[in-house]
Amino acid sequence: SQIVVAQHKGGGFGVKGGMNYNTSGKYFKDVESIWKNPGASTGYHLGVFYKFGGYDLYLRPELIYTDTKFDSGLGTVNLQRIDAPVLLGIHLFKIASIMAGPSFHYTLSDNFSKVLDEKNERLRLGYQFGLGLNLGPVGLDLRYEREFNDQRISFDRVISGGTDFKSEQVILGLSFQF
């Protein structure tokens, strides 16, 4: 009889989903916010991916629908977008991996566009990096994501003042590779 060792798979198609937590970058304030209202900056994501490569090094483009919310300083922003991270990963110790790469974001809708500066664009660029655990076809990963450019709230449209914010989040995802 053979003993089967749980480890990562080679290349292939998969599905994923999970939770995201948006952060302001002010981590002590975020911890206080989580304590007071744990669901205030959470969201979810669902999508597909294809993993190219062998057992040590891989490329993993993803196409993800993300629904999230966060506090901009002038109110809660509800945001729906399509994310397309392209991650390069390295497997470690047969079940773990590290990954990083650019992430493209296309905003489908939000409740804050009317007060955003015209310079803000629907297509934005950021990056992701993180760690993953892989047990056969099942994967669990924890990532950090940040956009490169600030979104700016227009001073002309908000009399009470303005603010800048970046989309920045921690992403916990569960995946299944076929």
Side-chain angles (χ1 to χ4, degrees), residues 18-40:
M19 293 178 44
N20 353 324
Y21 175 77
N22 269 290
T23 175
S24 66
K26 299 175 178 105
Y27 301 106
F28 291 111
K29 180 182 174 195
D30 288 341
V31 169
E32 180 182 337
S33 298
I34 293 170
W35 185 258
K36 289 180 181 176
N37 187 359

Side-chain angles (χ1 to χ4, degrees), residues 67-143:
D67 186 304
T68 192
K69 59 187 170 184
F70 60 94
D71 184 8
S72 70
L74 294 175
T76 300
V77 175
N78 294 306
L79 178 66
Q80 294 79 37
R81 67 185 193 194
I82 298 294
D83 296 334
V86 180
L87 304 171
L88 180 63
I90 301 171
H91 289 291
L92 308 168
F93 311 115
K94 298 194 183 218
I95 63 167
S97 62
I98 56 173
M99 64 200 85
S103 184
F104 304 91
H105 311 283
Y106 182 78
T107 301
L108 298 170
S109 67
D110 64 63
N111 68 329
F112 235 51
S113 291
K114 57 189 170 288
V115 293
L116 291 178
D117 195 329
E118 285 86 6
K119 295 176 187 168
N120 294 321
E121 299 189 13
R122 292 179 108 34
L123 183 61
R124 305 186 60 76
L125 177 63
Y127 60 89
Q128 288 186 4
F129 63 87
L131 300 170
L133 292 175
N134 306 289
L135 301 172
V138 178
L140 179 68
D141 59 64
L142 182 64
R143 301 180 193 171

Side-chain angles (χ1 to χ4, degrees), residues 4-72:
V4 178
V5 176
Q7 63 182 11
H8 58 83
K9 291 182 70 163
F13 174 78
V15 294
K16 70 171 291 189
M19 293 178 44
N20 353 324
Y21 175 77
N22 269 290
T23 175
S24 66
K26 299 175 178 105
Y27 301 106
F28 291 111
K29 180 182 174 195
D30 288 341
V31 169
E32 180 182 337
S33 298
I34 293 170
W35 185 258
K36 289 180 181 176
N37 187 359
S41 292
T42 59
Y44 67 91
H45 64 277
L46 300 167
V48 296
F49 65 88
Y50 193 87
K51 185 175 170 186
F52 296 95
Y55 287 91
D56 293 329
L57 188 64
Y58 64 90
L59 182 66
R60 180 173 157 161
E62 300 178 349
L63 190 58
I64 309 294
Y65 170 79
T66 300
D67 186 304
T68 192
K69 59 187 170 184
F70 60 94
D71 184 8
S72 70

